[in-house]
Amino acid sequence: MLPKLRIELQSGLDPAGLFDPAPRALWLEVGFGAGEHLAAQARARPDVGLIGCEPFVNGLASLLALIDAGGIDNVRLHDDDARLLIHCLADASIDRMFVLFPDPWPKARHHKRRFINPATLDACARILADGAELRLATDDAPYCRWILEHLQRHAAFRWMARGPDDWRQRPDDWPETRYEAKARRQGRAPVFLRYRRVDRA
């Protein structure tokens, strides 16, 4: 199934053209793990085109099994570093983006490997449409602080939280991942962050 669903990278890629018929919206998940969140979103919203990025073979195999079992046809895949795809996507082409439980790279010397950084946020701001939502989750407290610091400093994003429950409670339309379940079993409280892409001038 992967050759059929794999995205061929090209400059200025319009993701709507990956689907037939064109979806009403386009969502991107970076590092989908075993794919349970992506598959659940795709099943719940057949009119949305979902793009998943995951370089690890086991995760790809798990998602492909879910796609096959569920008869899902609104998912396309990039099986390499998500930043390569982001670089190719057309401006303002993504309506929602998920970065759920990314590797926190806890050692200071590895912080440069974290997905959330100024350069990547600039790239995400470019591909997100005005009003698009960026959803992030982590169970790592230092990485949560890192995310908040970087997003709060970025002019293209505004935190949507109005009260503590807005980051302590996962919204109903946000399916659980196995990483969240594992964190709860081990006594860690996940944090759910939602940011809006500010309208361009």
Side-chain angles (χ1 to χ4, degrees):
M1 293 176 63
L2 183 57
K4 177 183 175 183
L5 301 180
R6 181 186 282 126
I7 298 169
E8 297 296 330
L9 298 186
Q10 55 183 318
S11 181
L13 176 64
D14 177 7
L18 301 171
F19 301 88
D20 184 22
R24 69 164 178 84
L26 292 151
W27 296 359
L28 171 66
E29 183 168 351
V30 172
F32 57 73
E36 63 274 7
H37 172 270
L38 186 64
Q41 293 285 14
R43 283 193 301 268
R45 294 169 178 80
D47 58 342
V48 172
L50 286 111
I51 298 170
C53 301
E54 179 58 64
F56 296 108
V57 173
N58 288 347
L60 286 163
S62 295
L63 176 59
L64 289 170
L66 293 172
I67 290 172
D68 188 37
I72 297 169
D73 62 2
N74 57 329
V75 170
R76 300 294 181 269
L77 300 173
H78 173 65
D79 55 338
D80 204 337
D81 189 324
R83 289 167 290 195
L84 299 174
L85 174 64
I86 291 170
H87 177 74
C88 291
L89 288 172
D91 293 356
S93 60
I94 299 297
D95 301 293
R96 184 174 292 179
M97 184 172 178
F98 306 93
V99 184
L100 308 181
F101 300 95
D103 190 330
W105 293 107
K107 294 181 180 179
R109 68 177 182 272
H110 292 156
H111 284 182
K112 62 181 179 292
R113 299 185 182 184
R114 289 176 167 176
F115 183 82
I116 300 300
N117 63 60
T120 303
L121 289 177
D122 286 346
C124 293
R126 181 187 65 78
I127 66 167
L128 288 169
D130 291 357
E133 189 176 330
L134 172 62
R135 293 187 173 188
L136 308 104
T138 184
D139 62 328
D140 184 88
Y143 197 25
C144 179
R145 289 192 294 272
W146 172 281
I147 291 171
L148 290 168
E149 289 170 3
H150 282 76
L151 266 296
Q152 294 301 104
R153 285 200 298 259
H154 202 290
F157 297 99
R158 291 290 179 272
W159 197 11
M160 297 169 66
R162 296 183 178 179
D165 282 349
D166 290 333
W167 68 83
R168 292 175 180 163
Q169 302 295 325
R170 176 171 39 80
D172 291 339
D173 66 346
W174 188 332
E176 183 183 54
T177 71
R178 66 180 57 193
Y179 299 104
E180 177 188 345
K182 179 180 178 181
R184 294 191 187 280
R185 287 196 305 270
Q186 295 178 350
R188 297 188 303 276
V191 175
F192 306 94
L193 305 173
R194 300 168 64 203
Y195 284 84
R196 179 186 178 275
R197 200 326 179 170
V198 174
D199 292 353
R200 293 163 174 80

